[in-house]
Amino acid sequence: MYTRKYNFTAEEMSCRNCTEYLPGGSCKKRKCPYMDQRIEANTVTYGDVLTAICFPNRKVRKRLLFLIAEYPDSFWLDEHHKARMKRLHDRLGFTKKRNTPRYYAAMYLLTASDTLLSRTIKCFTDTDIDFSFATMPRISLDDYILYKAAVCYYTKEGGVTLGELADEELISDQMFRLVINGLLIAKYGLVAMILKKHKEGDHKQ
């Protein structure tokens, strides 16, 4: 589903070689403008990327620390999730205008559950995702959370609030991870899915 046009090396994407780098190890930018390339070059970890995103809610930041600590080196809920997204992607094919990071983020979330996919499969068209075709009656809370996040990432409207993300009773750790992973895909594209807990060569405890 993801084809690299160029393989960035760790040396090329070292902060020391960046035009924004300042003596002493600081950076001119508040946010790294080359994060997607650094992800591909394996110079950042899952935790590095998450901590670079500013979440103003203290409880959400606390939950992120748990995600980082327990990251299983995979974005997938399970192998069924991976297979569903691959089948859907293969069926729909690729068009440059449609297959954006936001499109993939929505696809990732909507294929997490077989039931959710069956409720939203008609939303996927040759040109976009039309959520008016979704059938939502009596949907489970978990599927509704994922659907709500998918709509937000694709349309930039609505979405899961910070208060909802902070609520562990409303959004389980598993669903929280999927929503956050979807956010990373929306920001950086499918390259985000290669993120690991440790950089290559790091000592693993």
Side-chain angles (χ1 to χ4, degrees):
M1 286 186 289
Y2 174 72
T3 302
R4 294 180 179 84
K5 293 182 180 179
Y6 178 79
N7 292 320
F8 294 97
T9 67
E11 181 61 25
E12 287 173 326
M13 297 316 301
S14 168
C15 289
R16 295 188 304 275
N17 295 326
C18 181
T19 57
E20 308 298 335
Y21 183 79
L22 294 171
S26 59
C27 181
K28 297 177 186 177
K29 301 290 186 180
R30 291 186 63 185
K31 295 183 179 180
C32 177
Y34 307 110
M35 187 63 81
D36 50 348
Q37 292 95 333
R38 292 177 69 197
I39 292 170
E40 187 170 334
N42 194 29
T43 61
V44 288
T45 65
Y46 182 77
D48 292 334
V49 177
L50 278 189
T51 52
I53 301 174
C54 181
F55 287 92
N57 187 294
R58 180 179 59 82
K59 290 184 177 179
V60 172
R61 294 198 301 271
K62 182 178 178 181
R63 296 195 76 180
L64 288 175
L65 293 177
F66 175 80
L67 287 195
I68 294 168
E70 299 299 322
Y71 181 52
D73 272 353
S74 173
F75 270 43
W76 303 112
L77 178 62
D78 52 35
E79 286 301 312
H80 298 296
H81 180 194
K82 182 178 181 179
R84 276 191 295 270
M85 183 166 172
K86 184 180 186 305
R87 284 196 302 268
L88 182 60
H89 183 273
D90 290 347
R91 170 182 165 183
L92 295 170
F94 176 86
T95 60
K96 187 175 181 180
K97 185 176 180 180
R98 180 194 62 189
N99 291 48
T100 63
R102 292 188 293 113
Y103 173 85
Y104 282 124
M107 180 183 283
Y108 167 79
L109 292 171
L110 297 178
T111 55
S113 152
D114 189 56
T115 301
L116 181 57
L117 178 58
S118 69
R119 298 291 193 96
T120 59
I121 187 69
K122 293 182 179 179
C123 298
F124 290 90
T125 74
D126 291 337
T127 57
D128 60 9
I129 303 176
D130 185 345
F131 290 98
S132 68
F133 291 108
T135 54
M136 293 291 103
R138 296 183 296 278
I139 193 171
S140 71
L141 176 59
D142 283 350
D143 282 349
Y144 177 68
I145 291 295
L146 298 180
Y147 172 78
K148 193 176 179 182
V151 172
C152 174
Y153 295 154
Y154 188 73
T155 67
K156 298 185 178 180
E157 297 179 359
V160 182
T161 68
L162 285 172
E164 290 171 334
L165 285 174
D167 190 338
E168 296 181 27
E169 293 185 3
L170 178 67
I171 300 180
S172 68
D173 289 338
Q174 191 175 67
M175 293 302 105
F176 182 73
R177 184 179 296 282
L178 290 173
V179 170
I180 295 300
N181 288 350
L183 174 63
L184 295 181
I185 295 172
K187 284 179 67 66
Y188 303 114
L190 288 177
V191 68
M193 300 184 80
I194 71 172
L195 281 166
K196 299 298 181 183
K197 188 170 184 176
H198 302 274
K199 287 180 285 189
E200 187 175 350
D202 281 356
H203 176 67
K204 300 181 182 180
Q205 299 295 329

